[in-house]
C-alpha cells in the first residue's frame, strides 16, 4: 500500500512538524515520498549535526601540519617525507545493539571507505567499545558479536587492528558503543576530495549492488531505543569484507590515473547523502537515472534505492574521456560499474526512475535551511571531593582485585581475535605500549595511534572529563616518544533535547577545546552520536554515560626510537609528575569500596604539556628505556602492567609522601608517567632543572613485584589474575 505523504508520515521519518513545514515551504508543494525520504535523512541528527553544529565550530581545527580539517570524509595531516596520514572515527552504536556482528562489521567497513575514498591506503584500525554490565546475558552476546564482527571484517580486508579500549558500565546495558577508527597513508600531493565539478561530467556508481538493507539507518541512528529495538534489524546493513578489499584496490588503481574529479563513499543515507554532498560542495546540480543503478533485489523503488545503506559502494564524478579506463579497472576487479547520471547547472538534485521524476530538490535550501538548534543546556553540577576513605584490604589484595576487574583486566581475549600484524608494519602490538606503533613502509616514519576516554569522569564533571580524554590521548602518544599531531573524535551522548544532556555535551566540548588548544592538538575529523538512550519498561529512559571518545595520532620521525611499556631490566623506575592522591571517581573507589562518587582528578593542561614534553625529549635522546602513563588504577596498577608486559620484576620503595597508602598507590592524578632509566638520580636532577617533579620509585630486576612492605607478588600470579576476566565471562 502506497503511503500518503503528510505531517504524520514525516514524523514517522523523524522530522518534527516544524521541519516538515519547512520542507513544504522549500518545495512549494507537498513533497513526493522519495523527496521526503531525502529530507528526512539529510536533516537527521546523524547527517546534519543539527544539535551539535554550533558547538563543534568552537573546536580548534587548524595547525601548520593540518592539510584538511573537518568537512571532508576524513582529516588529513602532514607527517613528513611527502606523506599524509588520513584518519577518522565513527560510531555504529545502534546497529551494534540490534545485530552485533553486522553492526560492528559494517562500522569497520564504513570508516575504511571514509579513508580510502581520499586516496589513502588503510594501514591501521582501532576501536573504542563500551558495554553494559558483564552480569547481563545480553552483554555477553553483544561482546561476542561485536568482537567477531570487528575481527571478521578487519582481518578479511587485510588491515591490522592495532589498538583500542573497552569499558563496562550498566548505563550501556541497552545501548553499547562501537566507535571505529581507521588510519591511512597517501602522498600528500595525491589527496582526493568530494566536491563535484564539471557540468556534464558523468556520475558513476561502483562496488556492490544496491539492496534493501539499511533503509532509514541514518534516522534509526538518530532515535532513542525502546523494547522493540530488536525489530529494527532491517535497518542494519550487511557487509562483505572481500568486496571491500576489491573496492580498495580498484579505487587506488584508478586514483593512480587522472580520471577522478570527485569521489565519495556511500555511507549513512547511501546514494542520497553521497550525491547531495558531492553536488552541494561543488555548487552544481546532479541528475540521477535510477534505472542504471545496479540492483540485487527486484522491484526496488526510487525511495528504496535512494535510502538504502547497502555496503561497499562508492560514487564518483569522472572525466568523460576517462570513463572507459575506469570501467575496465572495475571490471578487472569484478565490481559493478555504472554511469547513473551527470552533473548539471540547475543547482537541483533530480532523480528519475522508469521515466518518472521521483525527486527534484533545490540543493542550496536542502543544505542551507537544514535545521540548526541551539538547545537549552543545563550547567552540570560537579560533585565535591570524596570523603570517608578507608582501605579495607591489604595493598597486594587490592592490586590483584583491581587488575582482574572488568575495566582493567587483560584484553588479550579480544585482541587475539584481531589480526594486528597483517601488512607487516606493526611495530608495537596491543598491550606492548601506551599507543600502537605502525611503521610507514619504505620510510623511517612511524605513527603512534590511540583511543581514549574515561566516561565516569565525564559523568561527574563533563568539562574536566572532556579535557582529560584529550590529555590522556596526548599522554599515551607522548609515552611512546611520538609527537602528537591531531585528534578525531566520536562524541557519544544521550538525548540532546534534555537540557541536562545538552549541558553535558556543551561542557565536554568546552573541556576538549581547551585541551586541544593548550596541547596544540587540533580536531581534524569526527562524528557525533546522540540519542544514545534506552527506554525502560516503566516508560523512563536511561542515557549512556557521556562518552567523548578521542582517537589520536602522532608521528615518530625515526620509528626505531619508539619505546614500549614493558619494565626494562636493571633500571631505576622513576615517577614523573606530582601525586596528591586523587581518589574521586577512581577505579579503586568503585571496585574496592563499591562507590561511584566525588569529583574526578583535576586536569592542569600546562602541567600536562610541560611534563609530557620533558618525557618525550628524554625518550628521543635515548635516556628513557620504557615508559607508561599513569591512568586508571593509579601508580601501582601501572607498575603491575609494566611487570606483566615484560615479566621483569620491580622492587618498590616506601614512599615518603604524607599521603595515605591507598591514595598514593591508587589515586588517579593526571600528568604522570613511569619511566625506566639507567641513572634515576641524574634523570631526577634534569627533571628538576626543567620544573618537572620526579622521584625514584624503585629498581627493576628479577621476575617479582616486591611491595614496600616486603610482600612479593610474582609476575605469573599478576598475569593469572589479570587474564581471567574475559575467558571466564565468555565461557558462561
Amino acid at each position: 500500500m502506497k503511503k500518503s505523504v503528510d505531517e504524520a508520515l514525516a514524523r514517522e521519518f523523524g522530522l518534527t512538524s516544524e521541519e516538515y513545514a519547512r520542507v513544504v515551504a522549500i518545495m512549494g508543494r507537498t513533497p513526493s515520498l522519495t523527496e521526503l525520504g531525502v529530507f528526512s535523512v539529510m536533516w537527521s541528527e546523524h547527517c546534519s549535526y543539527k544539535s551539535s553544529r554550533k558547538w563543534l565550530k568552537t573546536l580548534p581545527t587548524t595547525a601548520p601540519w593540518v592539510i584538511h580539517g573537518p568537512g571532508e570524509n576524513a582529516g588529513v595531516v602532514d607527517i613528513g617525507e611527502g606523506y599524509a596520514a588520513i584518519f577518522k572515527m565513527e560510531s555504529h552504536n545502534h546497529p551494534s545493539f540490534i545485530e552485533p556482528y553486522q553492526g560492528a562489521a559494517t562500522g569497520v567497513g564504513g570508516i575504511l571507505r571514509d579513508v580510502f575514498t581520499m586516496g589513502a591506503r588503510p594501514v591501521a584500525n582501532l576501536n573504542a567499545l563500551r558495554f553494559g554490565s558483564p552480569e547481563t546475558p545480553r552483554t555477553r552476546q553483544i561482546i561476542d558479536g561485536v568482537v567477531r564482527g570487528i575481527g571478521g571484517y578487519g582481518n578479511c580486508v587485510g588491515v591490522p587492528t592495532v589498538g583500542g579500549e573497552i569499558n563496562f558500565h550498566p548505563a550501556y546495558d541497552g545501548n553499547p558503543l562501537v566507535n571505529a577508527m581507521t588510519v591511512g597513508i597517501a602522498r600528500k600531493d595525491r589527496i582526493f576530495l568530494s566536491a563535484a565539478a564539471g557540468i556534464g561530467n558523468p556520475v558513476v556508481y561502483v562496488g556492490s549492488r544496491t539492496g534493501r538493507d539499511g533503509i532509514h539507518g541514518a534516522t534509526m541512528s538518530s532515535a532513542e531505543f525502546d523494547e522493540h529495538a530488536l525489530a529494527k534489524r532491517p535497518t542494519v546493513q550487511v557487509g562483505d569484507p572481500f568486496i571491500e578489499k576489491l573496492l580498495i584496490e580498484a579505487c587506488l588503481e584508478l586514483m593512480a590515473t587522472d580520471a577522478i574529479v570527485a569521489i565519495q563513499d556511500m555511507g549513512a543515507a547511501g546514494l542520497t547523502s553521497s550525491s547531495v554532498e558531492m553536488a552541494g560542495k561543488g555548487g552544481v546540480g546532479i541528475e540521477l537515472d535510477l534505472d542504471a543503478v545496479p540492483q540485487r533485489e527486484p522491484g526496488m523503488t526510487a525511495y528504496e534505492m535512494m535510502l538504502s545503506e547497502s555496503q561497499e559502494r562508492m560514487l564518483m564524478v569522472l572525466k568523460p574521456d576517462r570513463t572507459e579506463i575506469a570501467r575496465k579497472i572495475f571490471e578487472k576487479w569484478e565490481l559493478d560499474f555504472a554511469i547513473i547520471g551527470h552533473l548539471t547547472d540547475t543547482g537541483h538534485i533530480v532523480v528519475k526512475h522508469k521515466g518518472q521524476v521521483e525527486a527534484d530538490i533545490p540543493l542550496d535550501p536542502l543544505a542551507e535551511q537544514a535545521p540548526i538548534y541551539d538547545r537549552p543546556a543545563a550547567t552540570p553540577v560537579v560533585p565535591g571531593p570524596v570523603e570517608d576513605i578507608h582501605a579495607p584490604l591489604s595493598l597486594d589484595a587490592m592490586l590483584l582485585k583491581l587488575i582482574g576487574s572488568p575495566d582493567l583486566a587483560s584484553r588479550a581475549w579480544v585482541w587475539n581475535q584481531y589480526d594486528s600484524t597483517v601488512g607487516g608494519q606493526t611495530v608495537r602490538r596491543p598491550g606492548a605500549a601506551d599507543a600502537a606503533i605502525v611503521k610507514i613502509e619504505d620510510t623511517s616514519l612511524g605513527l603512534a595511534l590511540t583511543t581514549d576516554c574515561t566516561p565516569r569522569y565525564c559523568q561527574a564533571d563533563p568539562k574536566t572529563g572532556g579535557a582529560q580524554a584529550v590529555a590522556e590521548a596526548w599522554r599515551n602518544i607522548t609515552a611512546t616518544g611520538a609527537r602528537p599531531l591531531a585528534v578525531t573524535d566520536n562524541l557519544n551522548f544521550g538525548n540532546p533535547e534534555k537540557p541536562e544532556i545538552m549541558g553535558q555535551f556543551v561542557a565536554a566540548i568546552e573541556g576538549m577545546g581547551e585541551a586541544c588548544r593548550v596541547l596544540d592538538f587540533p580536531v581534524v575529523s569526527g562524528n557525533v552520536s546522540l540519542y544514545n538512550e534506552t527506554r525502560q519498561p516503566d516508560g523512563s529512559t536511561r542515557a549512556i554515560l557521556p562518552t567523548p571518545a578521542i582517537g589520536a595520532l602522532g608521528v615518530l620521525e625515526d620509528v626505531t626510537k619508539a619505546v614500549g611499556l614493558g619494565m626494562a631490566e636493571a633500571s631505576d623506575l622513576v615517577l614523573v609528575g606530582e601525586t596528591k592522591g586523587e581518589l574521586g571517581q577512581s577505579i579503586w573507589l568503585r571496585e574496592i569500596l563499591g562507590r561511584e562518587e566525588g569529583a574526578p582528578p583535576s586536569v592542569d593542561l600546562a602541567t600536562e604539556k610541560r611534563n609530557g614534553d620533558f618525557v618525550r625529549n628524554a625518550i628521543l635522546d635515548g635516556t628513557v628505556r620504557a615508559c607508561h602513563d599513569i591512568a586508571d588504577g593509579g601508580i601501582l596498577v601501572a607498575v603491575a602492567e609494566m611487570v606483566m608486559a615484560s615479566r621483569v620484576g620491580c622492587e618498590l620503595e616506601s614512599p615518603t609522601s604524607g599521603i595515605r597508602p591507598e591514595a598514593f598507590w591508587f589515586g588517579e592524578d593526571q600528568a604522570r608517567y613511569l619511566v625506566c632509566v639507567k641513572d634515576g638520580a641524574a634523570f631526577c636532577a634534569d627533571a628538576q632543572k626543567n620544573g618537572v617533579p620526579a622521584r625514584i620509585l624503585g629498581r627493576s630486576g628479577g621476575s617479582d613485584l616486591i611491595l614496600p612492605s616486603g610482600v612479593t607478588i610474582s609476575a605469573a600470579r599478576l598475569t593469572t589474575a589479570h587474564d581471567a576476566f574475559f575467558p571466564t565471562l565468555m565461557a558462561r
Side-chain angles (χ1 to χ4, degrees):
M1 187 178 94
K2 193 169 180 181
K3 291 190 175 183
S4 60
V5 175
D6 55 18
E7 188 180 315
L9 184 64
R11 284 200 301 271
E12 251 183 72
F13 282 14
L15 294 170
T16 66
S17 299
E18 293 79 9
E19 288 167 354
Y20 177 65
R22 191 179 298 187
V23 170
V24 173
I26 289 171
M27 299 300 296
R29 55 177 170 80
T30 301
S32 70
L33 180 67
T34 303
E35 289 168 339
L36 183 66
V38 170
F39 275 100
S40 72
V41 293
M42 294 309 298
W43 288 8
S44 69
E45 194 73 61
H46 190 79
C47 292
S48 75
Y49 299 101
K50 58 190 176 188
S51 298
S52 59
R53 189 175 296 187
K54 173 184 173 179
W55 302 104
L56 296 175
K57 288 180 177 177
T58 67
L59 292 169
T61 58
T62 58
W65 52 89
V66 174
I67 298 173
H68 292 289
E72 282 298 333
N73 284 296
V76 185
V77 294
D78 188 339
I79 59 171
E81 299 190 31
Y83 285 94
I86 299 175
F87 68 113
K88 190 181 182 185
M89 191 183 219
E90 276 212 343
S91 59
H92 235 219
N93 302 336
H94 286 59
S96 299
F97 176 74
I98 298 167
E99 179 46 72
Y101 183 95
Q102 289 296 348
T106 52
V108 174
I111 195 64
L112 280 165
R113 286 193 299 282
D114 274 339
V115 167
F116 76 74
T117 191
M118 296 191 71
R121 178 170 290 283
V123 296
N125 287 331
L126 298 91
N127 51 76
L129 311 176
R130 321 285 167 182
F131 299 117
S133 169
E135 305 307 313
T136 307
R138 179 67 180 153
T139 295
R140 293 195 293 279
Q141 293 170 4
I142 292 170
I143 293 170
D144 174 64
V146 165
V147 171
R148 284 191 299 108
I150 291 169
Y153 205 101
N155 296 354
C156 292
V157 86
V159 179
T161 300
V162 298
E165 57 173 343
I166 300 172
N167 291 141
F168 293 88
H169 194 279
Y172 302 107
D173 271 345
N175 203 129
L177 303 185
V178 176
N179 297 169
M181 174 177 166
T182 292
V183 182
I185 299 297
R187 301 292 310 185
K188 69 178 188 182
D189 58 353
R190 296 291 294 168
I191 308 293
F192 289 82
L193 304 178
S194 55
I199 306 305
N201 278 348
V203 177
V204 174
Y205 172 121
V206 300
S208 288
R209 298 187 171 193
T210 294
R212 289 187 170 94
D213 53 319
I215 292 172
H216 266 296
T219 46
M220 179 271 294
S221 294
S222 307
E224 295 173 342
F225 271 3
D226 57 24
E227 65 273 18
H228 307 299
L230 293 179
K232 296 180 178 179
R233 278 197 171 89
T235 61
V236 179
Q237 314 92 322
V238 177
D240 184 336
F242 299 105
I243 297 292
E244 182 101 338
K245 175 63 175 169
L246 299 177
L247 190 59
I248 291 172
E249 299 304 331
C251 286
L252 291 176
E253 184 174 334
L254 183 60
M255 286 164 171
T257 73
D258 63 346
I260 298 175
V261 177
I263 181 168
Q264 178 87 9
D265 82 294
M266 292 192 219
L271 188 53
T272 292
S273 65
S274 55
S275 55
V276 166
E277 287 173 11
M278 288 176 81
K281 285 179 184 176
V284 295
I286 188 167
E287 186 172 304
L288 302 177
D289 178 5
L290 299 189
D291 295 350
V293 170
Q295 298 159 55
R296 70 166 180 258
E297 297 184 47
M300 290 191 72
T301 64
Y303 169 85
E304 289 172 327
M305 280 188 273
M306 289 301 291
L307 270 69
S308 166
E309 294 184 7
S310 295
Q311 297 290 285
E312 294 85 42
R313 303 179 300 158
M314 309 287 279
L315 198 66
M316 302 179 182
V317 175
L318 298 181
K319 296 176 181 176
D321 59 345
R322 296 287 191 271
T323 53
E324 288 311 305
I325 293 169
R327 186 189 301 274
K328 283 176 182 171
I329 289 172
F330 281 91
E331 285 176 351
K332 181 185 85 173
W333 290 100
E334 299 182 342
L335 294 166
D336 277 285
F337 178 100
I339 297 172
I340 65 166
H342 61 275
L343 300 185
T344 68
D345 60 0
T346 64
H348 284 225
I349 177 170
V350 177
V351 178
K352 296 180 176 178
H353 186 222
K354 295 183 177 177
Q356 299 291 315
V357 175
E358 295 284 348
D360 185 349
I361 302 172
L363 287 166
D364 270 355
L366 177 62
E368 297 305 316
Q369 295 183 41
I372 296 179
Y373 295 120
D374 186 3
R375 298 196 185 276
T379 303
V381 178
V382 178
V386 67
E387 295 176 354
D388 189 29
I389 299 292
H390 64 286
L393 301 168
S394 62
L395 213 55
D396 57 312
M398 291 189 292
L399 173 63
L400 289 166
K401 187 170 182 179
L402 286 178
I403 62 172
S405 65
D407 275 12
L408 293 179
S410 168
R411 275 65 176 126
W413 180 88
V414 175
W415 74 55
N416 284 337
Q417 296 184 56
Y418 306 152
D419 191 335
S420 61
T421 59
V422 62
Q425 301 302 309
T426 306
V427 176
R428 300 279 179 183
R429 294 185 61 198
D434 281 355
I437 305 291
V438 177
K439 184 178 181 296
I440 307 306
E441 199 168 6
D442 301 325
T443 75
S444 60
L445 297 169
L447 295 180
L449 311 167
T450 186
T451 62
D452 292 287
C453 182
T454 311
R456 62 185 189 277
Y457 293 175
C458 299
Q459 176 77 6
D461 181 349
K463 183 178 177 182
T464 296
Q468 191 275 341
V470 172
E472 187 173 351
W474 188 90
R475 208 160 55 235
N476 278 328
I477 288 170
T478 291
T480 67
R483 176 167 58 91
L485 287 182
V487 159
T488 182
D489 59 39
N490 206 142
L491 307 175
N492 309 271
F493 290 79
N495 183 345
E497 296 166 47
K498 298 176 180 176
E500 66 273 18
I501 299 294
M502 200 64 213
Q504 291 175 342
F505 184 87
V506 171
I509 288 275
E510 191 179 345
M512 288 169 54
E514 283 184 14
C516 289
R517 277 185 282 274
V518 173
L519 300 173
D520 211 6
F521 205 28
V523 178
V524 296
S525 59
N527 172 245
V528 177
S529 175
L530 302 176
Y531 296 94
N532 289 292
E533 299 201 5
T534 308
R535 193 166 297 281
Q536 308 296 306
D538 66 358
S540 65
T541 57
R542 181 173 193 183
I544 61 163
L545 303 184
T547 311
I550 302 296
L553 175 146
V555 68
L556 284 144
E557 291 176 6
D558 180 356
V559 72
T560 62
K561 291 185 174 179
V563 299
L565 61 82
M567 190 74 71
E569 287 272 15
S571 298
D572 288 331
L573 182 67
V574 176
L575 168 64
V576 177
E578 187 181 3
T579 298
K580 297 174 184 172
E582 297 195 67
L583 287 170
Q585 299 298 331
S586 65
I587 290 279
W588 179 88
L589 190 67
R590 188 178 77 192
E591 298 297 329
I592 305 300
L593 297 187
R595 294 160 56 182
E596 294 184 50
E597 57 189 76
S602 55
V603 175
D604 184 323
L605 294 165
T607 301
E608 285 282 3
K609 188 151 188 349
R610 181 196 66 200
N611 293 3
D613 288 348
F614 175 77
V615 167
R616 186 186 313 104
N617 289 334
I619 293 171
L620 295 176
D621 70 18
T623 303
V624 170
R625 308 162 82 181
C627 182
H628 190 18
D629 97 302
I630 300 171
D632 284 354
I635 293 171
L636 199 54
V637 166
V639 174
E641 288 169 343
M642 295 178 79
V643 169
M644 289 186 287
S646 61
R647 296 297 182 101
V648 174
C650 182
E651 183 171 359
L652 296 171
E653 295 180 2
S654 185
T656 50
S657 63
I659 301 170
R660 291 174 65 99
E662 65 273 19
F664 180 85
W665 291 110
F666 300 116
E668 295 180 3
D669 309 65
Q670 300 294 293
R672 296 185 301 164
Y673 303 80
L674 290 172
V675 298
C676 289
V677 296
K678 203 165 185 176
D679 185 341
F683 181 88
C684 291
D686 192 30
Q688 191 175 4
K689 283 180 197 168
N690 286 274
V692 174
R695 58 180 294 173
I696 296 175
L697 204 61
R699 180 79 181 168
S700 69
S703 59
D704 299 330
L705 174 58
I706 305 171
L707 302 180
S709 63
V711 171
T712 297
I713 314 171
S714 68
R717 190 180 174 203
L718 287 170
T719 301
T720 299
H722 191 50
D723 286 352
F725 171 74
F726 269 102
T728 305
L729 175 70
M730 301 311 291
R732 286 183 191 171

